[in-house]
Amino acid sequence: PKMLAEEFGVGVSSQVYQQEFNITHKDVKRLEKSEKIRKVGEYRFRAYGKYLYAPLYDAYQFASMTENEMQVLLEKQSDKTKGGSR
């Protein structure tokens, strides 16, 4: 399954992460930026009279992640932002 997900860029949206782990879109973007979750592609949708694109994240990584692992990732992100430059 992992090879198929990588080869075809099968992914889940930010909304899926938000619903599954009860986190915000901002949390998902921070995890993406710090490369804790892997972006595999994007999908196109129509809104406001134009086409927009949203990222898709590795479905295999999502499916194998536990609630506990997500909490640890978020805590590490939180520690980094608190200790950064002000």
Side-chain angles (χ1 to χ4, degrees):
K2 186 175 182 179
M3 285 176 39
L4 287 174
E6 287 175 0
E7 186 174 336
F8 294 104
V10 175
V12 297
S13 70
S14 173
Q15 291 173 326
V16 174
Y17 267 100
Q18 291 171 56
Q19 290 172 349
E20 180 68 24
F21 297 109
N22 196 26
I23 60 176
T24 66
H25 178 68
K26 200 172 188 178
D27 291 329
V28 175
K29 295 306 283 183
R30 274 199 305 264
L31 291 170
E32 175 192 345
K33 189 174 181 180
S34 65
E35 300 179 349
K36 300 299 183 206
I37 59 175
R38 194 166 72 99
K39 181 180 167 187
V40 294
E42 53 188 22
Y43 70 96
R44 184 173 85 157
F45 63 97
R46 194 162 172 80
Y48 312 111
K50 59 184 174 181
Y51 288 107
L52 302 173
Y53 293 86
L56 288 173
Y57 301 101
D58 188 327
Y60 185 82
Q61 182 183 24
F62 169 78
S64 59
M65 188 173 294
T66 66
E67 184 81 34
N68 208 27
E69 290 170 331
M70 176 56 75
Q71 280 308 118
V72 169
L73 289 177
L74 290 171
E75 286 169 11
K76 285 181 182 177
Q77 279 305 112
S78 179
D79 290 346
K80 282 183 183 177
T81 55
K82 286 178 187 170
S85 59
R86 295 177 187 214

